[in-house]
Amino acid sequence: MVIIPTTLTDGHSQPVAIAGSAGQVPDGQDPDEPPLPRSSSSVVKEVKLDSKEKEKELDVKEFDDIGTASNSAIDVTSQDGWNHGFGGDPDTAHVFSANSVAKLLEVDPKHGLLTSKAKARLERDGANKIDGSGQVSIWEVLLRQVSNSLTIVLLIAMALSYGTLDFIEGAVISAVILLNIVLGLAAPSSQVFRNGALDTVKAESLVIGDIVQLKTGDVVPADLRLFESSNLEVDEALLTGESLAASKNADILLKPDISIGDRVNMVYSATTVTRGRAIGIVVATGMKTQVGSVAQLLRGQVNTQTSTNPFVRYFKKFINGMKSILGLIGTPMQVKLSKFAILLFGLAVLLALIVFSANKWELHNEVVLYGICVAVAVIPESLIAVMTITVAVGVKAMAAGNVVIRRMAALEAIGGVTNICSDKTGTLTQGKMVAHKVWVPGMGTLSVKDTVDFRDPDDGIVEIDGEQLDKLDFGSQGRIGVLRPVLDAIALCNFASVWRVQTPSDISPEKDMEMRGEWKSSGDPTEVALQVLAIRFDRGKESLLRDGNLVQIVEHQFDSSLKRMSMAYKHSVSGRVEVYAKGASESILPILNITSPSLQQKLQLKLEKLASEGLRVLCIASKTVLGNEEHKLGERAFMESGLEFKGLIGLYDPPRIESYEAVMKCHRAGIKVHMLTGDHLSTATAIALKVGILSPSTTTQYSVMAARDFDSLTDEEINALPTLPVVLARCSPTTKVRMVDALSRRKAFSVMTGDGVNDAPALKRAHVGIAMGINGTDVAKDASDMVLTDDNFASIVKAVEEGRRLFDNIQKFLMHLLISNIAQVVLLLIALAFKDKDGNSVFPLSPLEILWVNMITSSFLALGLGMEEAQADIMTRPPRNLHIGVFTWELICDKMLYGTWAGILCLISFVAVVYGKGHGNLGDSCNDGWNEDGSCETVFRARATVFALLSFILLVTAWEVKHFSRSLFNLDPKKFRPGIGIFKALAYNRFLLWAVVAGFLITFPVVYIPVVNKTVFKHRGIGWEWGVVIAGLVLYIAFIESWKAIKRRFGIWSGKVHSQGGSGDVRGMCRREVRGEVNR
């Protein structure tokens, strides 16, 4: 017999029958493979054929209306079921036969297109690429690969690694860069029929009408109307979100309004062939494909026509080029710093004008030199370079923490998150299902404990009601016989495969037991766990089907709306048919034939108990169908009714070991963690308690909520909730989007994780969207800002910590650079009052001295600050306000105080030398250089004093700004003991340590080397003036330490932590800070 599928619109899955007699395998199908699942939403009708009809290759197909459901499949004949031809719209290709589509597209399915016609169509429709751009040369592709911001940052990180003699990391980053370039240049290829022969062409060059051949493992290169198919299954999770592969059939015609997931005669671009082979006709390429339209919507792109006016095009290009040069294109922080640099440039011009005005615009050489000197002093020349390298270090640290940055803005923003919305499976948990408990009436509860390898049936300990079973004596256990119906059901109603890799031929029999290969699996994780449980008792599917007495005849696939599946097997000898079913408890219980009220009550109690332990509970049932009722199995309502209850199975996805500590770290950092999962409410609650998201002492009636209850609330009702739910169970994509919107309305800054195509809108809507790297779809990754390469929640917390460290370090080097600039400006502006004999202002620092301090001394110190490790209290502070940005009031106030004081001290040192031993002699034309009469002796010695003092002040400042409120002598009390521990604390950052040492040592050659000091830097060697330098340095340190003590004493800004009991009271402070904010 043969059972023909007919797709329905009622949402029920279809049965699938096997063509031929019992034990016969369909042509072209692997005997070891399970029967092919058909697409969802179908019913069947049996058609009996005689031997002659069988020779016609099963051309007869019948489709009937069943009940009130209308068929969405139509008769497959030489004519299309709709009385008109294919109109060229790819969205209607599933309605027409492949021959009709080929005829309209003017292609012979056997020979394919001619090369000339394919070339013409490529010019007409453009390349088969998602971005829709035209063709580019290999050099343009190479340039794009190496000129994007991430690759540039990686290049800097590579140089940084080699520069610090870290050759291993340098080599790894070099390999990553090379891989990026190679991947960018490498183009996927396709097998295409052209000019009557099978040829391999680049996927980008595919055109509408091409005949493409597909096989297992291929990525579908374009949208295809299938022409031929054999056992074809395609993973369409990218588009539909369904985890199971969809079965395809080229011969079926469908109605126009059927959904993409049910178009069984089509395959779509970027999906993957998981089984079988096929030939199809390209009906859409590039942005006209289904995945192209989704990507376009996610990116927010709007197809606009480029202006035909060349002047307008060049003007826009010029504007964009200027923005790029000025740094106004980039991440928000980069743009903000670029605007700040432009502001400083304007300030430099203003200060130069002040200098010129003070000299009554008599612009001779000395006045111009002084103006240039002041202008140079206000510009932090190394700001952008240090910023870029610091970000490179951040990217490098993120990559080491299994986080790939797709958008640089996320690197800056992640440190300010207030809420993290996370998936459960695979993120907070290990994503490795284990059949942990089995309950069967009359047997008790079987438990599988202490498993390490979830695929290994021999791993772990097996107990029944606490009594351990001997693995070698399973057969003799009396109660095991009661378990066998459950084991047979989960083994046969299952598509997963579990096997051990073959033992190498050279292994001796004595070593075979110890050295045989590891266990492998394929299929859905839930079904793998069930198959492993069955194999543990030697009741696996392969064992049960080995003798050929059982033959699968009908299957109703798993349906997400029904949450169950069923399969029927026939005994070839007795003719008896056994039906096995499994599914969610709420789906199976209504179709059970349970007459005992006590069993029903006991069953409900056991269900709740298993779910409360964090287990995903499946209900197992079966029934026997007599031979005269076999024809009714095609009706799902009959096959899935009157079932006998066999048992409950609790599947456990263990939490990751590191999840609890990661969640606790979030709580200490003032970050609220929400778990949004598709699991049962009890299961989600139990896991949330285990990983620390929920606490029994703080749980309220709003902490845990079912998605249907949350979705039923209006936005106003959600806003009125005292707090948003911490756990949302049975979530849909809409639920995630509404959660993100609700957080935004409460002024929270949220992170959302996701992996499926349905998660893409929420990832796009969140402030920072994080996709899964292992299980995530390309659409989810495209919508995200970051990608986790290990799908681990703990990596998100590491990213938050790295984001905070990056923000802190940017503030540190900004503080350092700006203190230097402010000191120089204060010094030079006040020094305008110092006039020589000719009435010209004498600058206390020469232009080259200023450039040396800014470019040599300060740059490496700022770079070292950018490499600072995270402070001990970095994850015990509340989240920062992202709206304030990097220029906080604390930074602004501190830089003005420290910079002004440093400038005053430099000015005092200049005055002390000139008006002390020098008796006020400012010489003659000392701005130009050394005079032979020696009149510039005093000025040159004073400049050297100022230069040395400013250099040493900047060296000390680099250590002082490591923490904005802690004393230099107690920078890290958790790591280093106060007092003598200062040396270890200062040496901890080796780069900064050597930058300070080098800055200190190089000061002396600059001051004392003949010719260099007088001619280049316009100063000379000093002696007693070192006392002035040391005195100024001590006064500078005393001022900073005093201000930090005031901040700690009165709880000002970062000193707030210390004012409330020191570092030991950080957690309490964070809790108070969080309670003070809007409830999230």
Side-chain angles (χ1 to χ4, degrees):
M1 70 175 180
V2 60
I3 297 180
I4 308 300
T6 312
T7 307
L8 291 181
T9 59
D10 61 356
H12 288 177
S13 294
Q14 85 290 0
V16 176
I18 308 303
S21 59
Q24 192 173 6
V25 178
D27 202 17
Q29 179 176 314
D30 189 337
D32 294 330
E33 291 180 345
L36 291 175
R38 295 291 183 185
S39 65
S40 60
S41 309
S42 299
V43 295
V44 299
K45 178 171 180 178
E46 180 179 318
V47 183
K48 296 193 175 180
L49 308 175
D50 57 26
S51 58
K52 292 182 180 180
E53 288 174 316
K54 290 180 181 179
E55 295 175 359
K56 296 180 181 179
E57 299 182 355
L58 304 177
D59 283 340
V60 179
K61 295 179 173 64
E62 294 187 11
F63 301 86
D64 286 352
D65 289 341
I66 297 181
T68 59
S70 61
N71 292 334
S72 59
I74 58 178
D75 188 18
V76 181
T77 62
S78 58
Q79 296 180 352
D80 295 321
W82 308 93
N83 297 319
H84 52 78
F86 173 55
D89 183 357
D91 281 337
T92 62
H94 59 280
V95 178
F96 306 97
S97 68
N99 286 326
S100 296
V101 175
K103 184 177 180 181
L104 177 90
L105 298 179
E106 299 176 357
V107 59
D108 182 351
K110 293 183 179 180
H111 296 88
L113 293 171
L114 296 175
T115 302
S116 58
K117 185 172 288 189
K119 185 176 180 181
R121 294 187 180 187
L122 184 62
E123 293 176 354
R124 180 193 69 189
D125 300 327
N128 178 33
K129 297 194 303 182
I130 292 301
D131 62 4
S133 60
Q135 290 181 318
V136 294
S137 70
I138 188 171
W139 298 110
E140 288 176 302
V141 174
L142 178 60
L143 183 61
R144 289 179 185 177
Q145 287 302 108
V146 299
S147 64
N148 68 80
S149 59
L150 182 57
T151 304
I152 291 173
V153 168
L154 287 174
L155 285 168
I156 296 171
M158 178 189 68
L160 198 62
S161 298
Y162 287 130
T164 55
L165 302 183
D166 192 345
F167 297 108
I168 295 177
E169 280 199 50
V172 170
I173 297 174
S174 302
V176 171
I177 294 171
L178 184 61
L179 181 62
N180 284 342
I181 295 173
V182 170
L183 290 176
L185 295 176
S189 59
S190 302
Q191 298 288 315
V192 180
F193 286 96
R194 285 187 181 173
N195 304 316
L198 187 62
D199 192 11
T200 301
V201 302
K202 290 182 179 180
E204 282 190 4
S205 64
L206 285 181
V207 297
I208 294 175
D210 263 329
I211 307 298
V212 178
Q213 186 181 76
L214 301 173
K215 62 182 183 301
T216 301
D218 285 351
V219 175
V220 180
D223 288 359
L224 309 179
R225 170 59 169 94
L226 294 175
F227 186 77
E228 297 176 7
S229 62
S230 176
N231 300 332
L232 184 66
E233 293 183 12
V234 179
D235 181 358
E236 294 182 334
L238 179 101
L239 288 172
T240 64
E242 296 294 332
S243 58
L244 295 177
S247 183
K248 299 293 181 176
N249 190 331
D251 298 329
I252 292 179
L253 302 185
L254 305 164
K255 286 185 177 180
D257 56 353
I258 196 167
S259 65
I260 291 175
D262 291 330
R263 296 179 186 178
V264 296
N265 56 13
M266 298 283 297
V267 291
Y268 293 101
S269 176
T271 59
T272 305
V273 178
T274 60
R275 183 182 181 191
R277 60 187 184 276
I279 297 175
I281 305 171
V282 176
V283 296
T285 61
M287 294 301 290
K288 294 182 180 179
T289 62
Q290 291 293 336
V291 72
S293 62
V294 172
Q296 184 173 342
L297 289 173
L298 287 171
R299 294 170 182 167
Q301 293 175 345
V302 179
N303 287 330
T304 57
Q305 296 293 328
T306 304
S307 174
T308 57
N309 189 326
F311 176 77
V312 174
R313 290 202 307 271
Y314 287 124
F315 179 75
K316 289 182 178 179
K317 190 174 182 179
F318 172 77
I319 294 298
N320 291 332
M322 289 302 298
K323 285 183 177 180
S324 180
I325 292 170
L326 295 174
L328 299 178
I329 297 176
T331 69
M333 186 176 292
Q334 288 171 335
V335 171
K336 186 172 289 187
L337 289 177
S338 296
K339 289 180 178 178
F340 179 66
I342 294 171
L343 177 64
L344 290 178
F345 177 78
L347 181 60
V349 174
L350 177 61
L351 291 174
L353 294 176
I354 291 173
V355 171
F356 298 155
S357 299
N359 286 274
K360 300 179 180 179
W361 288 88
E362 296 178 3
L363 302 182
H364 48 78
N365 287 345
E366 291 200 8
V367 174
V368 173
L369 277 174
Y370 203 100
I372 293 173
C373 192
V374 175
V376 169
V378 79
I379 299 293
E381 291 84 358
S382 58
L383 174 61
I384 301 301
V386 174
M387 173 69 180
T388 303
I389 294 173
T390 302
V391 171
V393 173
V395 171
K396 180 180 173 183
M398 288 281 196
N402 301 310
V403 179
V404 176
I405 305 299
R406 296 191 69 254
R407 295 180 177 89
M408 283 298 178
L411 179 64
E412 303 162 3
I414 188 70
V417 300
T418 59
N419 296 70
I420 298 177
C421 300
S422 174
D423 286 333
K424 178 186 77 68
T425 304
T427 306
L428 289 163
T429 62
Q430 298 178 23
K432 300 173 181 178
M433 287 288 184
V434 177
H436 183 52
K437 289 193 176 182
V438 183
W439 179 74
V440 179
M443 184 197 74
T445 302
L446 180 143
S447 303
V448 179
K449 299 180 178 179
D450 301 334
T451 55
V452 177
D453 184 355
F454 69 99
R455 298 186 187 92
D456 188 353
D458 300 322
D459 191 25
I461 298 172
V462 181
E463 297 177 348
I464 295 183
D465 292 336
E467 179 184 346
Q468 186 171 339
L469 297 180
D470 184 358
K471 293 183 180 181
L472 301 177
D473 196 25
F474 282 142
S476 64
Q477 302 294 328
R479 288 180 289 181
I480 296 300
V482 184
L483 180 63
R484 283 176 182 165
V486 176
L487 298 175
D488 292 351
I490 63 175
L492 295 173
C493 189
N494 197 316
F495 274 132
S497 299
V498 180
W499 70 95
R500 192 194 290 271
V501 294
Q502 278 192 336
T503 305
S505 57
D506 59 343
I507 295 180
S508 62
E510 293 80 10
K511 296 182 179 179
D512 186 59
M513 290 299 292
E514 298 178 2
M515 300 185 63
R516 53 187 177 176
E518 62 178 338
W519 286 90
K520 301 288 186 180
S521 64
S522 65
D524 181 77
T526 299
E527 295 201 327
V528 168
L530 297 176
Q531 199 65 252
V532 169
L533 177 64
I535 295 174
R536 185 181 291 274
F537 296 92
D538 198 26
R539 306 296 292 180
K541 188 172 186 177
E542 183 181 356
S543 300
L544 297 176
L545 299 180
R546 187 176 295 138
D547 58 6
N549 290 332
L550 281 177
V551 179
Q552 181 189 344
I553 56 173
V554 177
E555 172 219 330
H556 289 282
Q557 272 193 332
F558 177 82
D559 188 290
S560 57
S561 61
L562 297 177
K563 298 178 183 175
R564 64 175 181 260
M565 67 173 292
S566 58
M567 297 175 72
Y569 287 82
K570 186 173 184 179
H571 290 265
S572 58
V573 178
S574 64
R576 189 176 74 253
V577 176
E578 296 289 345
V579 174
Y580 302 103
K582 72 172 188 288
S585 56
E586 61 266 31
S587 174
I588 296 292
L589 289 180
I591 59 176
L592 293 179
N593 184 22
I594 298 179
T595 57
S596 169
S598 61
L599 178 59
Q600 286 183 342
Q601 184 178 7
K602 192 174 183 180
L603 183 56
Q604 288 291 347
L605 291 174
K606 199 65 183 178
L607 272 170
E608 288 299 324
K609 185 176 185 303
L610 292 174
S612 66
E613 295 175 10
L615 304 180
R616 178 179 292 178
V617 184
L618 293 182
C619 191
I620 311 300
S622 66
K623 73 175 180 179
T624 301
V625 176
L626 300 178
N628 60 354
E629 293 183 312
E630 183 180 342
H631 66 281
K632 297 181 181 180
L633 293 175
E635 301 176 19
R636 187 162 196 161
F638 170 79
M639 185 162 162
E640 296 179 351
S641 62
L643 299 173
E644 295 181 11
F645 173 73
K646 295 300 179 185
L648 298 175
I649 296 183
L651 296 158
Y652 185 52
D653 182 10
R656 294 180 183 267
I657 298 173
E658 60 272 25
S659 290
Y660 180 82
E661 180 53 37
V663 172
M664 291 298 100
K665 189 177 284 188
C666 285
H667 290 169
R668 291 193 292 270
I671 300 171
K672 201 163 190 177
V673 181
H674 305 259
M675 187 172 77
L676 282 65
T677 177
D679 277 341
H680 187 274
L681 191 66
S682 298
T683 303
T685 303
I687 294 295
L689 287 168
K690 288 184 178 181
V691 299
I693 292 176
L694 281 177
S695 172
S697 60
T698 59
T699 302
T700 67
Q701 60 176 325
Y702 304 105
S703 297
V704 181
M705 189 177 290
R708 64 175 180 273
D709 298 330
F710 184 78
D711 291 338
S712 65
L713 299 175
T714 64
D715 288 348
E716 290 72 21
E717 289 172 332
I718 292 175
N719 293 340
L721 293 175
T723 59
L724 290 176
V726 176
V727 175
L728 277 172
R730 299 298 193 198
C731 275
S732 67
T734 304
T735 309
K736 291 188 173 184
V737 172
R738 294 200 71 196
M739 186 64 169
V740 171
D741 291 344
L743 288 168
S744 296
R745 291 195 298 271
R746 295 183 181 223
K747 308 302 181 185
F749 194 84
S750 62
V751 166
M752 175 64 72
T753 69
D755 51 13
V757 66
N758 293 330
D759 294 328
L763 293 174
K764 195 75 174 178
R765 194 78 65 93
H767 295 96
V768 178
I770 301 181
M772 302 298 108
I774 299 175
N775 297 316
T777 61
D778 287 343
V779 173
K781 292 174 186 176
D782 186 70
S784 69
D785 303 295
M786 298 180 175
V787 177
L788 298 184
T789 59
D790 60 351
D791 293 8
N792 193 338
F793 178 82
S795 296
I796 302 175
V797 181
K798 290 178 185 175
V800 173
E801 185 173 349
E802 180 58 29
R804 291 188 173 193
R805 187 195 70 85
L806 175 68
F807 181 83
D808 282 357
N809 290 353
I810 290 174
Q811 281 198 318
K812 290 173 187 176
F813 74 68
L814 271 175
M815 172 87 84
H816 185 269
L817 292 174
L818 295 176
I819 286 172
S820 174
N821 295 128
I822 292 170
Q824 293 167 35
V825 169
V826 169
L827 171 65
L828 293 171
L829 284 182
I830 298 177
L832 281 171
F834 300 132
K835 305 284 187 177
D836 62 11
K837 295 176 181 179
D838 297 327
N840 297 317
S841 297
V842 178
F843 45 67
L845 280 174
S846 68
L848 277 178
E849 282 178 324
I850 293 173
L851 285 175
W852 181 272
V853 168
N854 288 354
M855 294 299 295
I856 306 300
T857 307
S858 289
S859 294
F860 290 101
L861 296 173
L863 189 56
L865 288 169
M867 295 181 183
E868 274 284 284
E869 290 192 1
Q871 296 175 2
D873 63 346
I874 196 165
M875 290 300 284
T876 55
R877 299 183 232 144
R880 60 186 170 85
N881 189 337
L882 287 166
H883 299 291
I884 294 177
V886 70
F887 292 101
T888 61
W889 282 112
E890 182 173 19
L891 184 144
I892 293 170
C893 183
D894 285 359
K895 76 177 181 182
M896 293 303 298
L897 286 174
Y898 300 162
T900 302
W901 180 239
I904 291 172
L905 288 174
C906 289
L907 185 66
I908 292 172
S909 68
F910 185 81
V911 171
V913 175
V914 172
Y915 291 94
K917 194 173 180 180
H919 305 293
N921 181 17
L922 292 173
D924 183 24
S925 301
C926 294
N927 290 346
D928 291 334
W930 179 262
N931 288 334
E932 294 300 330
D933 58 6
S935 62
C936 292
E937 173 77 16
T938 301
V939 172
F940 271 46
R941 294 178 73 94
R943 280 184 192 152
T945 304
V946 173
F947 173 76
L949 177 57
L950 183 58
S951 297
F952 290 173
I953 281 177
L954 294 179
L955 297 179
V956 172
T957 302
W959 280 331
E960 284 283 6
V961 299
K962 283 165 71 77
H963 198 285
F964 286 3
S965 60
R966 284 205 185 113
S967 169
L968 174 64
F969 307 99
N970 191 26
L971 283 173
D972 196 342
K974 289 188 176 180
K975 281 185 180 179
F976 308 109
R977 199 174 46 178
I980 196 171
I982 182 178
F983 299 107
K984 292 182 179 179
L986 297 181
Y988 198 70
N989 183 340
R990 294 297 180 88
F991 189 98
L992 183 59
L993 172 66
W994 289 113
V996 172
V997 171
F1000 175 77
L1001 294 176
I1002 204 169
T1003 303
F1004 297 97
V1006 171
V1007 171
Y1008 287 108
I1009 293 179
V1011 181
V1012 172
N1013 57 2
K1014 286 186 180 181
T1015 306
V1016 178
F1017 290 97
K1018 295 184 174 63
H1019 63 218
R1020 61 160 300 165
I1022 56 177
W1024 66 270
E1025 292 87 352
W1026 284 111
V1028 178
V1029 173
I1030 294 171
L1033 187 61
V1034 170
L1035 290 172
Y1036 179 75
I1037 295 173
F1039 178 83
I1040 294 182
E1041 290 298 319
S1042 300
W1043 173 239
K1044 284 185 175 182
I1046 292 172
K1047 288 202 288 186
R1048 293 194 300 271
R1049 174 64 180 84
F1050 296 101
I1052 303 172
W1053 297 312
S1054 61
K1056 186 180 297 184
V1057 174
H1058 304 279
S1059 69
Q1060 299 189 21
S1063 59
D1065 193 42
V1066 170
R1067 298 184 188 184
M1069 185 278 295
C1070 285
R1071 287 191 290 270
R1072 287 188 289 273
E1073 287 285 338
V1074 174
R1075 283 198 296 268
E1077 296 177 4
V1078 178
N1079 288 323
R1080 300 188 298 270

